[in-house]
């Protein structure tokens, strides 16, 4: 087919030849051809124009509409490639970019390439470009757009070529708006590394907004408690704030102010979670607040809650909250317990249920803690769910079972009664306290029993424990077994309860076990002391009466008191009354006897 004359109407061109002619007519650089080619391939050749058939001969009458459409599409594709090549050459020659960077950038700038192609075609209508080639017009459009300088400036500001391409496409040809917006963002303390991200996420209309509109947004936020030095951080995290109209912004601000927030609370809330103000629709915000109201929270409480944890507004009702509430009900947590969890630790409503909460609950179940006890634990100590299972909870449990003497059968009881233990540091708190108790002479297994009886024993500061222990041993002169049997002794105030009650006992010459001495109220303790004093008075009175009656017998008659029936009765009564008045254990007695020895 190469021997056919392309200008001879008797030998029409094939579609392949037509496409070849189009490409040769439009490309900027001709590829070298083999000797004997029928077309002159070098654009510098004087015969290059005459050797190619006119393009209008490709669209003569008789050509089908399908062929004509295919040729037009092919022509547009070739022209787009030519435009992309011109843009790449401009980036390499004037922008001094490498061929790889320029090629990659042009590949993702398809929309801008089309813009240049259309503008170059439109220049044909202007008299000064009426006889210019397409290549000249395309180069003129590229140069006038300032795209090369803009790319150089954005690259200098640490923007990747993908981000540069997206920004250029968003401007719809108004490239100067990128630099203008970037300079404004710097005035509100947006860091250079976040400028590109802000411009991309702020919305399509951000490049159409003037400086006065943007300043009005910043000034209004500042008047409502948002500090100006915070603006850069806030805008970097929630760029859509810049695309809001003033009416929309005022409506959102009033939404939170109506909940009773002060300007300070509102400002810190926006700083902590900018998305709570500018990311969600007003309808979504209203739905979430109404859902939280179902937990008997009034507007003032809601305002404090959202000011403390604005991240709640970023959580989904259907995907996050409803499954969590259902799971809490499964654990037996009542509505008021869920309300406490929400108020004390609202972050629990933001963490993942399956990968976080369920795993911790399953761990407690494996330890033997019942579901209802787990529910009570969570309602009693909501921060428990925020601790890491593998870095916090498990190490404490392992320490209790391997170092602190807590048996396997008691560990579930310890965790259920004292979930606060799981918040303690093993190295800085639990181990230090354990070593102190062992230094007093308490055995490890005894310490484990004490923890099972009173899990909070390991949480007290040693500065609180030492004075109580010294007072018990030196002033009260009590044996060590007393605190082993009643470790809750350390939970009572030394100045407020232990010392006053001990003084009362000394003054009235009575003695009680620590449990009976400390656990009762002041009225009950006073009553116990009075009863013990009265019992002792009666006993002493009977002894005195017996001795007087014996002394009144005739001279020379000495009764055998040790063998008399009355004496035996008095001895039994005395032993019983002494036990009632001072119920010491055998270990106490043996301990006191050993001291006497």
């Amino acid at each position: 087919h190469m021997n056919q004359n392309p200008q001879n109407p008797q030998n029409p061109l094939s579609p392949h030849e037509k496409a070849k002619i189009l490409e040769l007519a439009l490309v900027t650089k001709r590829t070298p051809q083999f000797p004997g080619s029928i077309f002159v391939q070098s654009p510098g050749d004087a015969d290059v124009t005459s050797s190619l058939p006119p393009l209008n001969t490709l669209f003569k009458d008789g050509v089908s509409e399908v062929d004509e459409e295919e040729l037009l599409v092919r022509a547009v594709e070739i022209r787009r490639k030519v435009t992309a090549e011109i843009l790449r050459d401009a980036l390499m020659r004037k922008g001094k970019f490498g061929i790889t960077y320029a090629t990659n950038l042009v590949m993702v700038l398809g929309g801008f390439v089309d813009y240049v192609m259309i503008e170059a075609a439109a220049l044909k209508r202007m008299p000064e470009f009426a006889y210019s080639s397409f290549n000249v017009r395309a180069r003129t459009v590229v140069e006038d757009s300032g795209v090369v300088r803009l790319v150089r400036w954005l690259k200098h500001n640490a923007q990747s070529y993908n981000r540069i391409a997206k920004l250029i496409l968003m401007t719809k040809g108004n490239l100067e708006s990128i630099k203008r917006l970037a300079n404004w963002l710097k005035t509100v303390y947006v860091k250079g590394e976040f400028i590109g991200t802000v411009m991309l996420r702020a919305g399509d209309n951000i490049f159409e907004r003037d400086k006065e509109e943007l300043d009005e947004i910043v000034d209004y936020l500042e008047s409502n408690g948002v500090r100006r030095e915070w603006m850069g951080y806030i805008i970097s995290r929630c760029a859509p704030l810049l695309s809001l109209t003033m009416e929309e912004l005022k409506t959102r601000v009033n939404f939170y102010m109506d909940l009773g927030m002060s300007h300070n609370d509102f400002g810190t809330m926006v700083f902590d979670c900018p998305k709570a103000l500018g990311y969600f629709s007003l309808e979504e915000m209203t739905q979430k607040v109404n859902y939280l109201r179902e937990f008997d929270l009034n507007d003032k409480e809601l305002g404090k809650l959202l000011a403390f944890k604005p991240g709640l507004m970023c959580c989904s009702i259907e995907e996050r909250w409803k499954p969590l509430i259902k799971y809490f009900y499964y654990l037996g947590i009542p509505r008021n317990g869920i309300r406490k969890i929400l108020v004390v630790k609202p972050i629990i409503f933001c963490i993942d249920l399956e990968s976080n909460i369920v795993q911790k609950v399953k761990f407690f179940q494996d330890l033997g803690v019942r579901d209802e006890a787990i529910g009570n634990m969570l309602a009693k100590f909501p921060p428990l769910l925020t601790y890491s299972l593998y870095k916090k909870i498990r190490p404490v449990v392992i320490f209790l079972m391997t170092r602190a003497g807590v048996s396997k059968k008691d560990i579930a009881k310890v965790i259920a009664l004292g979930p606060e233990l799981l918040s303690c540091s093993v190295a800085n708190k639990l181990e230090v306290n354990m070593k102190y108790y062992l230094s007093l002479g308490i055995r490890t297994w005894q310490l484990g029993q004490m923890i099972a009886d009173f899990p909070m024993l390991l949480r007290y500061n040693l500065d609180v424990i030492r004075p109580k222990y010294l007072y018990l041993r030196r002033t009260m002169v009590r044996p060590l077994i007393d605190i082993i049997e009643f470790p809750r002794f350390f939970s009572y105030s030394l100045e407020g309860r232990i010392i006053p009650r001990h003084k009362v006992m000394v003054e009235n010459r009575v003695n009680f076990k620590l449990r009976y001495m400390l656990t009762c109220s002041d009225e009950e303790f006073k009553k116990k002391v009075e009863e013990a004093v009265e019992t002792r008075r009666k006993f002493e009175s009977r002894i005195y009466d017996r001795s007087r009656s014996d002394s009144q017998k005739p001279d020379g008659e000495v009764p055998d008191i040790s063998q008399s029936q009355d004496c035996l009765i008095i001895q039994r009564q005395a032993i019983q009354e002494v036990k009632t008045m001072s119920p010491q254990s055998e270990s106490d007695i043996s301990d006191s006897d050993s001291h006497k020895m």
Side-chain angles (χ1 to χ4, degrees):
H1 70 275
M2 296 301 292
N3 294 326
Q4 294 177 347
N5 184 0
Q7 299 185 15
N8 187 353
Q10 302 300 325
N11 298 317
L13 297 173
S14 66
H16 176 72
E17 290 176 313
K18 292 179 181 180
K20 181 69 173 177
I21 293 171
L22 278 173
E23 185 172 0
L24 292 175
L26 296 176
V27 295
T28 57
K29 295 180 181 179
R30 317 294 182 209
T31 55
Q33 300 295 314
F34 57 88
S37 174
I38 63 172
F39 298 134
V40 178
Q41 301 300 311
S42 175
D45 197 308
D47 297 330
V48 67
T49 303
S50 61
S51 66
L52 293 175
L55 291 181
N56 57 8
T57 61
L58 301 180
F59 304 99
K60 297 192 309 180
D61 295 339
V63 180
S64 66
E65 294 182 0
V66 177
D67 292 341
E68 183 177 344
E69 182 179 353
E70 290 178 356
L71 288 175
L72 289 174
V73 171
R74 179 63 177 167
V76 171
E77 291 177 354
I78 295 172
R79 184 149 290 185
R80 183 180 286 112
K81 291 180 181 179
V82 172
T83 307
E85 185 178 347
I86 291 172
L87 178 59
R88 187 189 65 182
D89 290 343
L91 290 170
M92 293 172 60
R93 286 186 292 104
K94 296 186 177 181
K96 306 302 181 183
F97 295 108
I99 186 172
T100 302
Y101 184 88
T103 302
N104 291 339
L105 180 59
V106 171
M107 287 178 61
V108 292
L109 272 176
F112 184 74
V113 170
D114 292 342
Y115 165 79
V116 173
M117 184 174 63
I118 294 171
E119 291 296 317
L123 285 180
K124 184 75 172 177
R125 302 172 185 173
M126 301 181 66
E128 60 269 31
F129 293 101
Y131 299 100
S132 300
S133 66
F134 173 80
N135 294 358
V136 172
R137 286 178 273 127
R139 290 191 187 97
T140 301
V141 173
V142 170
E143 184 175 350
D144 292 344
S145 68
V147 64
V148 177
R149 295 190 302 275
L150 178 64
V151 171
R152 170 61 61 187
W153 184 79
L154 289 173
K155 190 173 186 295
H156 178 72
N157 282 275
Q159 304 301 316
S160 66
Y161 71 85
N162 281 318
R163 188 170 290 174
I164 292 173
K166 291 178 182 178
L167 290 174
I168 292 174
L169 296 178
M170 285 176 63
T171 61
K172 302 175 183 178
N174 185 17
L175 301 184
E176 188 61 28
S177 61
I178 295 179
K179 199 167 185 178
R180 184 177 65 250
L181 178 60
N183 288 331
W184 180 86
L185 290 173
K186 290 180 180 180
T187 64
V188 291
Y189 310 108
V190 177
K191 295 182 179 180
E193 57 191 296
F194 300 117
I195 286 178
T197 304
V198 170
M199 291 190 291
L200 287 174
R201 295 179 179 177
D204 295 337
N205 68 334
I206 187 62
F207 294 105
E208 301 172 7
R209 310 201 74 171
D210 55 29
K211 180 178 179 296
E212 288 72 20
E213 291 178 299
L214 299 174
D215 285 338
E216 189 177 6
I217 291 175
V218 172
D219 292 341
Y220 181 73
L221 290 175
E222 188 175 5
S223 66
N224 283 278
V226 183
R227 297 181 184 178
R228 194 170 189 85
E229 58 266 27
W230 294 349
M231 293 296 175
Y233 176 76
I234 292 169
I235 293 173
S236 299
R237 295 184 62 191
C238 187
L241 272 173
L242 299 179
S243 62
L244 296 175
T245 65
M246 282 305 302
E247 183 180 356
E248 291 174 333
L249 182 61
K250 289 180 180 179
T251 303
R252 291 167 180 266
V253 172
N254 291 332
F255 174 83
Y256 289 105
M257 294 300 183
D258 291 341
L259 295 176
M261 279 192 190
S262 64
H263 283 186
N264 288 337
D265 287 343
F266 177 78
T268 55
M269 183 203 76
V270 175
F271 178 80
D272 290 340
C273 185
K275 285 187 175 183
L277 178 64
Y279 191 78
F280 302 99
S281 67
L282 194 62
E283 182 181 0
E284 288 180 283
M285 295 161 63
T286 304
Q287 288 176 350
K288 291 172 183 178
V289 168
N290 289 337
Y291 187 85
L292 295 177
R293 279 197 180 99
E294 296 180 6
F295 296 99
D296 301 326
L297 295 173
N298 55 40
D299 286 352
K300 186 176 181 180
E301 292 172 328
L302 278 171
K304 290 183 179 180
L305 178 63
L306 294 177
F308 175 69
K309 188 61 183 177
L312 286 169
M313 297 301 290
C314 300
C315 300
S316 169
I317 295 177
E318 297 295 331
E319 297 178 4
R320 184 78 71 188
W321 289 352
K322 287 187 176 179
L324 179 64
I325 298 302
K326 185 178 180 181
Y327 190 69
F328 282 160
Y329 282 141
Y330 160 75
L331 294 175
I333 303 177
R335 179 175 290 271
N336 59 348
I338 297 176
R339 181 184 186 278
K340 180 182 177 182
I341 294 174
L342 177 61
V343 173
V344 174
K345 213 68 179 176
I347 193 176
I348 293 175
F349 280 65
C350 301
I351 59 181
D352 186 70
L353 177 62
E354 292 296 330
S355 64
N356 197 315
I357 297 176
V358 172
Q359 297 300 320
K360 293 171 185 174
V361 170
K362 188 176 184 302
F363 177 76
F364 296 137
Q365 290 172 336
D366 292 341
L367 289 178
V369 185
R370 295 174 299 176
D371 289 346
E372 57 270 23
I374 295 175
N376 293 333
M377 288 166 51
L378 302 182
K380 175 184 177 183
F381 189 62
L384 180 61
L385 289 177
T386 64
Y387 299 138
S388 169
L389 176 60
Y390 294 99
K391 295 181 180 180
K392 191 74 172 176
I393 297 176
R394 289 182 77 252
V396 172
V397 172
I398 293 172
F399 172 83
L400 293 174
M401 297 182 68
T402 59
R403 304 283 305 282
V406 179
S407 63
K408 185 176 180 180
K409 68 180 182 62
D410 289 334
I411 188 64
K413 175 185 175 183
V414 171
I415 298 301
L417 294 179
E420 297 87 350
L421 273 180
L422 300 177
S423 67
C424 298
S425 167
V426 172
N428 299 328
K429 171 64 72 173
L430 301 181
E431 190 167 6
V432 173
N433 283 14
M434 176 203 70
K435 289 180 178 179
Y436 175 75
Y437 291 122
L438 296 181
S439 70
L440 301 180
I442 299 174
R443 304 291 182 83
T444 302
W445 63 270
Q446 290 175 321
L447 179 61
Q449 292 180 349
M450 293 170 66
I451 295 172
D453 184 33
F454 185 54
M456 301 299 290
L457 183 67
L458 291 179
R459 291 196 71 228
Y460 290 111
N461 292 329
L462 294 184
D463 294 337
V464 175
I465 294 174
R466 285 193 186 98
K468 296 178 182 179
Y469 174 76
L470 294 176
Y471 187 83
L472 176 82
R473 298 286 280 160
R474 295 179 181 178
T475 305
M476 297 178 67
V477 196
R478 295 274 188 153
L480 183 64
I481 191 65
D482 278 17
I483 57 173
I484 295 177
E485 293 180 348
F486 188 65
R488 201 175 294 267
F489 165 80
F490 293 109
S491 67
Y492 295 100
S493 169
L494 181 61
E495 301 293 336
R497 178 164 291 197
I498 297 175
I499 293 178
R501 293 195 176 183
H502 175 248
K503 287 183 177 180
V504 171
M505 290 181 1
V506 171
E507 291 170 358
N508 290 274
R509 294 184 298 149
V510 296
N511 194 19
F512 299 130
K513 275 194 172 183
L514 296 179
R515 186 183 305 276
Y516 304 114
M517 168 187 169
L518 299 173
T519 56
C520 58
S521 64
D522 290 339
E523 292 76 12
E524 293 174 338
F525 177 73
K526 183 179 179 181
K527 185 178 179 181
K528 285 184 178 181
V529 172
E530 292 175 351
E531 291 176 352
V533 171
E534 180 64 20
T535 302
R536 189 186 69 248
R537 188 191 64 79
K538 291 180 179 180
F539 171 74
E540 291 176 348
S541 176
R542 286 197 298 269
I543 295 296
Y544 178 73
D545 292 342
R546 295 281 185 183
S547 62
R548 285 189 60 186
S549 61
D550 292 341
S551 64
Q552 293 175 357
K553 288 186 177 184
D555 294 339
E557 186 177 343
V558 180
D560 187 3
I561 299 176
S562 61
Q563 299 300 325
S564 66
Q565 186 67 25
D566 291 340
C567 185
L568 293 176
I569 295 175
I570 291 174
Q571 287 179 350
R572 282 196 293 268
Q573 289 177 349
I575 293 172
Q576 185 64 31
E577 289 174 357
V578 168
K579 287 184 177 181
T580 304
M581 182 174 60
S582 179
Q584 294 183 338
S585 63
E586 293 181 1
S587 59
D588 293 339
I589 297 173
S590 62
D591 185 70
S592 62
D593 291 343
S594 64
H595 284 297
K596 292 179 182 179
M597 294 294 292

